[in-house]
């Protein structure tokens, strides 16, 4: 028996739990509030995609099926026979099946396999396990197509009935849908939910709804609880209500939920628990950012004077109760960053609450989840990483920040290396100039494998309008620094931003082409601009030349339809932008004329063909900040003293031999400078307690020798600077 049941409703991800309930459970542990959590989505998927589940899925009589559906139905015995083995393989339990999958004639194949000819070159260099995962993913997608056509048109692996939750200014359509009989997927969902409620016997059930594709199921589950367990209270929080339900007015929502909370959930849920479970101790009902129904009216209560918890106080996420060994890794497309999102198990953590930049005009910067910036101390973060490794057995981490702060990334990386932790991690960033070549080398050394960041519209005029705080030149240099250190870079790209001209769209594509051709970007994705109610564009549309379509809001309010005063139809660029990017990501078609990607006339680009190349040729800045930290991340070198002679003069030299993980190299300096350097490498070692700045190093050197800069920028020291001697 637990006080609270935390639920992520169907569907989010297949490969790893959405972290909201784990964050909340970790916090509730610090308050000794008993809670149980479940990812209802993965449990429903595993029930559907099993031998028993497929037997039921293939039961319906199909009227006028498409040829593809007819083929799948004809092969139903092969699907039923292979499904359990394929799911076990995708759970990492049956790796030897990869050979059979790749050898062909094992998996039944329908229309999703038609794209294999296109994919062959992309997966040619991939290992057998990855190729088998991709084939198994296509097999599941064929089954998904069958389910959509014959069983439930709302099904999707990472979303369910998403259309009902998207921009639903009125509750009518969703409410009417909830009056229908349960769907096949609803029945599975409710069966699992009923069993869990009877086991846990909670007093409060909290649904975390991050996306529109979770909303319908959350309501369906809450409806079932109200009808069958009337004493249990229900609450909803998470990303969807935080962004969409801030203007909630429809009383009918409270036929399903007793409470809807906004923004950070820790304190609101603690107060709900006190209200429900310890009402005798509560003199006056306290709520934090909570909608509820009073006298048949929707009221918003925020009468608690208690401040939200600091990030250092919310505890370590707790993944217990979740079926960590039963998540399935899939590889849908050959995009290397997308495979990170969908393949492998990742412990999710946050370096900082909110965004340290907080100015982008397309972003919800008026809301607390962006606006309130609060970083966590590096030591606490790495403590949490160690706790999660012990708890989950996984040492992969995805930091889910809006934009991870470079200074904090540096401190976290230093802490990881000092503790000799072996971890793999990735995160979202801004392409800002703080990401020097040295910082990127440090991040790589600590286990960073990838970063994603917004290049958005690759146009300096529009980047300024977006208030992105970067230029295309800066992005090119930063992506080069990451790439050369061995960290993969994914760029979020945008088209259709207000006032964007056709010429700017074409020029933006040319910038992207050059970034891929020069190898400084490895992955990207084009998004069409969407206007949201809580962004500066949504709040002050006249300043951005857009005309919003205003609807009466009684339910959801986030995405806003609008007309751009330029009158340009940006939709028509979608196919060409995405097709060109697909090819660039695979290192081909750089010589195609941009016109070749579009079936309508476009203007010629005005971007010089060597623009990005020239950005990367800029001289390195030889000005080092006096307070920059000097860190040696290499090991102890071997040394040897030898005598050098020239024109009758002899003097002693010191030769250093360094061993990095991949190579051995030597440098030689004068003996006295060599002794100083040997001491300095020890002093500046990452494992040393000393913090040595550039100014301190210079002062120390010049007590014994002349002209530190001449020594520091000499060839031997630059050899060290290129690999293991970092200026941070």
């Amino acid at each position: 028996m637990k006080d609270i049941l935390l639920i992520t409703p169907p569907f989010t991800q297949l490969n790893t739990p959405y972290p909201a309930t784990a964050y909340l459970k970790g916090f509730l542990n610090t308050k000794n509030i008993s809670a149980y959590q479940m990812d209802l989505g993965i449990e429903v998927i595993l029930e559907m995609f099993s031998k028993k589940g497929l037997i039921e899925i293939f039961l319906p009589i199909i009227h006028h099926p498409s040829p593809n559906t007819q083929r799948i139905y004809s092969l139903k015995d092969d699907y039923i026979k292979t499904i359990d083995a394929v799911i076990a393989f995708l759970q990492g339990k049956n790796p030897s099946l990869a050979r059979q999958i790749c050898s062909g004639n094992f998996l039944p194949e329908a229309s999703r396999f038609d794209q294999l000819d296109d994919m062959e070159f992309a997966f040619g260099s991939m290992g057998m396990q990855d190729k088998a995962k991709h084939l198994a993913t296509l097999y599941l997608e064929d089954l998904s197509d069958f389910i959509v056509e014959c069983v439930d048109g709302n099904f999707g692996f990472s979303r369910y009935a998403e259309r009902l939750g998207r921009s639903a200014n009125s509750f009518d359509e969703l409410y009417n849908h909830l009056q229908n009989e349960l769907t096949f997927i609803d029945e599975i969902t409710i069966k699992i939910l009923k069993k869990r409620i009877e086991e846990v016997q909670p007093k409060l059930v909290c649904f975390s709804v991050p996306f529109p594709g979770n909303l319908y199921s959350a309501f369906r589950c809450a409806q079932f609880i109200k009808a069958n367990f009337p004493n249990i209270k229900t609450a909803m929080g998470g990303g969807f209500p935080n962004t969409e339900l801030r203007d909630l007015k429809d009383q009918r929502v409270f036929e399903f939920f007793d409470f809807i909370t906004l923004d950070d959930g820790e304190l609101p849920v603690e107060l709900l628990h006190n209200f429900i479970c310890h009402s005798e101790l509560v003199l006056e009902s306290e709520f934090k950012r909570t909608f509820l129904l009073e006298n048949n009216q929707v009221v918003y209560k925020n009468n608690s004077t208690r401040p939200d918890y600091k990030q250092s106080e919310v505890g370590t996420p707790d993944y217990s109760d979740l079926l960590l060994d039963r998540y399935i890794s899939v590889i849908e497309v050959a995009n290397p960053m997308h495979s990170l999102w969908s393949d492998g198990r990742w412990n999710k953590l946050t370096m900082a609450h909110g965004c340290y930049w907080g100015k982008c005009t397309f972003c919800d910067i008026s809301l607390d989840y962006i606006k309130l910036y609060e970083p966590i101390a590096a030591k606490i973060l790495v403590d949490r990483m160690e706790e999660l490794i012990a708890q989950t057995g996984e040492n992969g981490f995805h930091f889910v920040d809006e934009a991870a702060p470079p200074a904090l990334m540096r401190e976290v990386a230093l802490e990881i290396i000092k503790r000799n932790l072996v971890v793999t991690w990735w995160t979202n960033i801004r392409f800002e100039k703080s990401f020097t070549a040295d910082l990127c080398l440090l991040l790589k050394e600590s286990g960073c494998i990838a970063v994603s960041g917004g290049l958005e519209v690759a146009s300096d005029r529009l980047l300024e309008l977006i208030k992105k705080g970067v230029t295309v030149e800066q992005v090119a240099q930063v992506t080069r620094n990451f790439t050369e250190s061995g960290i993969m870079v994914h760029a979020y790209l945008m088209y259709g931003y207000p006032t964007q001209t056709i010429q700017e769209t074409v020029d933006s594509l040319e910038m992207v082409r050059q970034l891929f051709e020069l190898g400084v970007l490895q992955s990207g994705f084009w998004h069409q601009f969407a206007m949201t109610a809580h962004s500066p564009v949504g709040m002050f549309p006249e300043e951005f030349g857009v005309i919003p379509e205003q609807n009466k809001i009684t339910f959801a309010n986030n995405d806003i339809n609008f007309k751009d005063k330029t009158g340009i139809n940006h939709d028509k660029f979608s196919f060409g932008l995405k097709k060109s990017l697909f090819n660039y990501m695979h290192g081909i078609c750089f010589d195609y004329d941009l016109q070749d990607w579009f079936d309508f006339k476009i203007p010629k680009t005005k971007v010089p063909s060597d623009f990005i190349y020239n950005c990367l040729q800029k001289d390195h800045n030889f000005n080092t900040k006096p307070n920059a930290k000097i860190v040696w991340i290499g090991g102890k070198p071997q040394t040897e003293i030898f005598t050098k002679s020239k024109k009758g003069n002899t003097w002693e030299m010191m030769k250093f031999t360094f061993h990095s993980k991949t190579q051995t190299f030597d440098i030689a300096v004068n003996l006295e400078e060599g002794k100083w350097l040997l001491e300095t490498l020890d002093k500046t070692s990452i494992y040393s307690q000393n913090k040595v700045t550039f100014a301190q190093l210079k002062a120390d050197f010049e007590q014994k020798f002349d002209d530190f800069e001449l020594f520091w920028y000499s060839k031997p020291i630059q050899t060290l600077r290129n690999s293991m001697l970092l200026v941070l």
Side-chain angles (χ1 to χ4, degrees):
M1 183 187 271
K2 305 278 185 184
D3 284 351
I4 298 177
L5 175 59
L6 304 166
I7 298 178
T8 307
F11 294 110
T12 50
Q13 284 176 273
L14 297 174
N15 65 310
T16 204
Y18 194 80
T21 61
Y23 277 45
L24 264 179
K25 185 170 163 72
F27 163 73
L28 294 170
N29 291 343
T30 70
K31 297 291 164 188
N32 294 316
I33 295 173
S34 63
Y36 188 95
Q37 66 182 325
M38 67 185 301
D39 178 354
L40 196 44
I42 194 65
E43 296 196 39
V44 172
I45 288 286
L46 293 174
E47 183 90 11
M48 289 172 66
F49 291 89
S50 65
K51 190 171 186 177
K52 179 174 172 286
L54 287 195
I55 288 170
E56 289 183 35
I57 281 167
F58 284 123
L59 272 181
I61 296 165
I62 305 151
H63 298 288
H64 308 297
S66 66
N68 185 56
T69 296
Q70 185 62 61
R71 173 171 171 76
I72 295 171
Y73 193 73
S74 301
L75 292 166
K76 65 180 190 292
D77 292 341
D78 294 289
Y79 284 105
I80 291 165
K81 175 186 169 186
T82 52
I83 188 66
D84 288 345
V86 169
I87 293 294
F89 166 69
L90 291 173
Q91 290 171 330
K93 296 173 184 169
N94 189 9
S96 60
L97 192 70
R99 292 182 179 278
Q100 210 170 344
I101 290 173
C102 291
S103 66
N105 206 32
F106 174 72
L107 298 178
E109 299 179 7
S111 66
R112 293 288 184 148
F113 285 77
D114 294 347
Q115 62 190 285
L116 262 186
D117 289 342
D118 297 336
M119 292 289 185
E120 197 58 46
F121 71 90
F123 284 87
S125 59
M126 292 181 77
M128 184 176 287
Q129 292 290 322
D130 279 354
K131 187 170 180 183
K133 274 184 192 172
H134 178 60
L135 294 170
T137 304
L138 297 178
Y139 159 96
L140 291 181
E141 287 178 339
D142 276 333
L143 283 170
S144 169
D145 292 341
F146 181 88
I147 291 166
V148 169
E149 187 172 334
C150 302
V151 182
D152 189 336
N154 286 316
F155 176 70
F157 279 114
S158 57
R159 60 188 63 86
Y160 185 54
E162 183 179 48
R163 180 188 59 79
L164 294 172
R166 272 205 179 282
S167 304
N169 298 154
S170 161
F171 187 46
D172 290 349
E173 188 179 6
L174 179 54
Y175 186 78
N176 292 337
H177 209 80
L178 289 161
Q179 310 314 310
N180 297 338
E181 287 186 12
L182 297 182
T183 65
F184 173 75
I185 292 169
D186 289 340
E187 286 176 352
I188 294 174
T189 304
I190 296 301
K191 183 182 78 173
I192 296 169
L193 176 64
K194 179 175 185 287
K195 183 167 180 262
R196 199 59 46 83
I197 286 176
E198 288 169 350
E199 290 167 358
V200 176
Q201 298 179 32
K203 299 180 181 72
L204 170 65
V205 178
C206 296
F207 291 88
S208 177
V209 180
F211 309 116
N214 302 86
L215 187 71
Y216 165 78
S217 277
F219 271 91
R220 197 50 118 175
C221 292
Q223 182 184 47
F224 169 79
I225 292 169
K226 285 278 161 235
N228 296 275
F229 300 93
N231 294 330
I232 295 176
K233 298 296 183 187
T234 55
M236 172 166 61
F240 182 87
N242 290 351
T243 52
E244 308 254 358
L245 297 186
R246 307 189 81 87
D247 300 310
L248 182 62
K249 297 181 181 69
D250 198 314
Q251 300 98 315
R252 294 174 298 174
V253 169
F254 295 90
E255 294 173 24
F256 306 84
F257 292 100
D258 297 291
F259 311 100
I260 290 178
T261 69
L262 301 182
D263 302 324
D264 291 354
E266 288 85 5
L267 184 55
V269 169
E270 182 189 4
L271 293 174
L272 287 183
H273 174 264
N274 293 346
F275 176 70
I276 293 162
C277 301
H278 301 295
S279 54
E280 72 285 356
L281 304 175
V282 179
L283 295 174
E284 185 190 351
S285 302
E286 269 191 275
F287 295 96
K288 194 81 173 175
R289 297 185 300 273
T290 301
F291 284 109
L292 55 133
L293 206 62
E294 278 188 354
N295 302 320
N296 209 33
Q297 293 297 312
V298 179
V299 294
Y300 179 69
K301 290 215 167 177
N302 193 23
N303 60 346
S304 174
T305 55
R306 289 173 58 184
D308 280 299
Y309 287 94
K310 299 266 183 226
Q311 291 303 296
S312 57
E313 301 169 333
V314 296
T316 301
D318 181 351
Y319 284 89
S320 60
D321 312 327
L322 298 171
L323 312 177
L324 295 183
D325 61 339
R326 299 190 66 198
Y327 282 84
I328 57 179
S329 286
V330 294
I331 298 182
E332 299 163 57
V333 291
N335 179 315
M337 197 73 188
H338 284 224
S339 76
L340 272 186
W341 288 320
S342 61
D343 182 20
R345 261 275 299 118
W346 302 100
N347 296 317
K348 310 256 183 173
L349 275 176
T350 310
M351 287 195 191
H353 181 287
C355 178
Y356 69 94
W357 180 247
K359 295 176 185 174
C360 297
T361 52
F362 60 79
C363 187
D364 292 341
I365 60 174
S366 65
L367 298 184
D368 285 356
Y369 82 97
I370 303 282
K371 185 171 64 176
L372 300 181
Y373 173 66
E374 185 201 338
I376 305 173
K379 281 188 166 58
I380 294 175
L381 262 173
V382 183
D383 286 346
R384 289 179 182 176
M385 292 174 81
E386 291 193 304
E387 283 179 55
L388 283 173
I389 292 168
Q391 183 197 126
T392 67
E394 300 283 351
N395 64 355
F397 288 85
H398 175 198
F399 290 100
V400 294
D401 293 65
E402 298 300 319
L408 182 53
M409 289 172 75
R410 179 190 69 201
E411 295 308 310
V412 167
L414 289 167
E415 191 66 25
I416 288 169
I417 297 167
K418 282 177 186 171
R419 297 193 196 187
N420 287 314
L421 270 187
V422 177
V423 293
T424 303
W425 61 275
W426 54 289
T427 189
N428 198 39
I429 60 155
R430 290 180 61 248
F431 291 121
E432 60 165 85
K433 57 180 182 288
S434 309
F435 289 109
T436 60
D438 292 51
L439 178 54
C440 292
L441 281 169
L442 177 77
L443 298 176
K444 172 67 175 172
E445 186 70 17
S446 73
C448 180
I449 55 164
V451 292
S452 56
L455 170 53
E456 319 309 352
V457 182
S459 147
D460 285 341
R461 180 189 80 83
L462 288 164
L463 285 170
E464 198 173 327
L465 191 62
I466 290 170
K467 295 191 179 171
K468 194 72 193 173
V470 299
T471 62
V472 176
E473 178 179 302
Q474 189 177 309
V475 171
Q477 291 163 354
V478 169
T479 54
R480 184 263 317 277
N481 292 344
F482 276 112
T483 299
E484 289 186 349
S485 71
I487 295 172
M488 182 175 72
V489 186
H490 173 87
Y492 297 107
L493 304 164
M494 185 189 290
Y495 63 103
Y497 191 80
T499 75
Q500 183 172 353
T501 64
I502 290 174
Q503 183 69 56
E504 284 171 324
T505 301
V506 172
D507 290 349
S508 186
L509 175 57
E510 172 59 17
M511 296 282 203
V512 170
R513 185 194 71 76
Q514 292 183 30
L515 287 163
F516 275 98
E517 185 174 29
L518 290 167
V520 296
L521 264 188
Q522 291 76 53
S523 173
F525 191 80
W526 286 104
H527 302 258
Q528 188 163 0
F529 169 76
M531 187 161 95
T532 62
H534 312 292
S535 67
V537 181
M539 293 162 74
F540 312 106
E542 63 287 347
E543 292 180 21
F544 295 87
V546 294
I547 304 163
E549 292 177 14
Q550 301 289 5
N551 295 326
K552 186 182 176 189
I553 309 296
T554 57
F555 186 55
N557 180 28
N558 192 32
D559 286 1
I560 301 173
N561 291 327
F562 67 94
K563 285 180 182 155
D564 189 334
K565 286 180 182 174
T566 62
I568 296 168
N569 173 18
H570 294 285
D571 297 358
K572 65 182 182 180
F573 288 95
S574 177
F575 182 79
L577 290 173
K578 289 173 181 174
K579 186 174 182 185
S580 58
L581 186 62
F582 178 85
N583 286 280
Y584 297 159
M585 277 196 292
H586 296 114
I588 57 174
C589 302
F590 295 121
D591 55 344
Y592 279 35
D593 194 293
L594 297 186
Q595 178 64 68
D596 294 344
W597 302 114
F598 302 95
D599 57 5
F600 54 91
K601 188 75 179 151
I602 61 165
K604 287 217 170 293
T605 181
K606 292 184 176 177
V607 177
S609 59
D610 57 357
F611 179 85
I612 299 294
Y613 176 82
N614 289 335
C615 292
L616 300 178
Q617 302 314 303
K618 301 276 167 96
D619 287 335
H620 289 290
N621 192 341
F622 286 105
N623 292 328
T624 305
K625 289 179 181 172
N627 62 347
K629 194 189 292 184
I630 309 299
V631 177
W632 171 247
I633 61 170
K636 221 174 178 58
Q638 296 165 296
T639 58
E640 178 189 330
I641 298 169
F642 67 97
T643 303
K644 195 169 181 180
S645 304
K646 192 172 183 183
K647 295 183 179 176
N649 294 323
T650 61
W651 64 95
E652 287 188 299
M653 301 279 290
M654 183 178 279
K655 176 185 169 188
F656 291 75
T657 301
F658 296 93
H659 298 278
S660 74
K661 290 173 194 150
T662 55
Q663 58 179 324
T664 301
F665 59 91
D666 301 328
I667 65 167
V669 295
N670 291 331
L671 178 60
E672 293 307 312
E673 289 178 347
K675 289 177 183 174
W676 179 87
L677 179 60
L678 198 57
E679 278 180 29
T680 298
L681 293 181
D682 196 45
K683 251 191 258 178
T684 58
S685 166
I686 194 164
Y687 300 105
S688 163
Q689 296 304 308
N690 302 309
K691 284 189 177 176
V692 182
T693 65
F694 183 77
Q696 289 168 333
L697 207 62
K698 174 178 162 70
D700 187 51
F701 182 91
E702 290 182 348
Q703 283 178 356
K704 304 181 182 72
F705 313 104
D706 296 329
D707 202 341
F708 175 68
E709 274 78 6
L710 199 64
F711 175 75
W712 183 252
Y713 293 111
S714 66
K715 192 173 177 185
I717 302 304
Q718 286 310 295
T719 302
L720 297 187
R721 290 272 295 104
N722 288 335
S723 55
M724 295 184 281
L725 184 59
L726 307 181
V727 177
L728 300 169

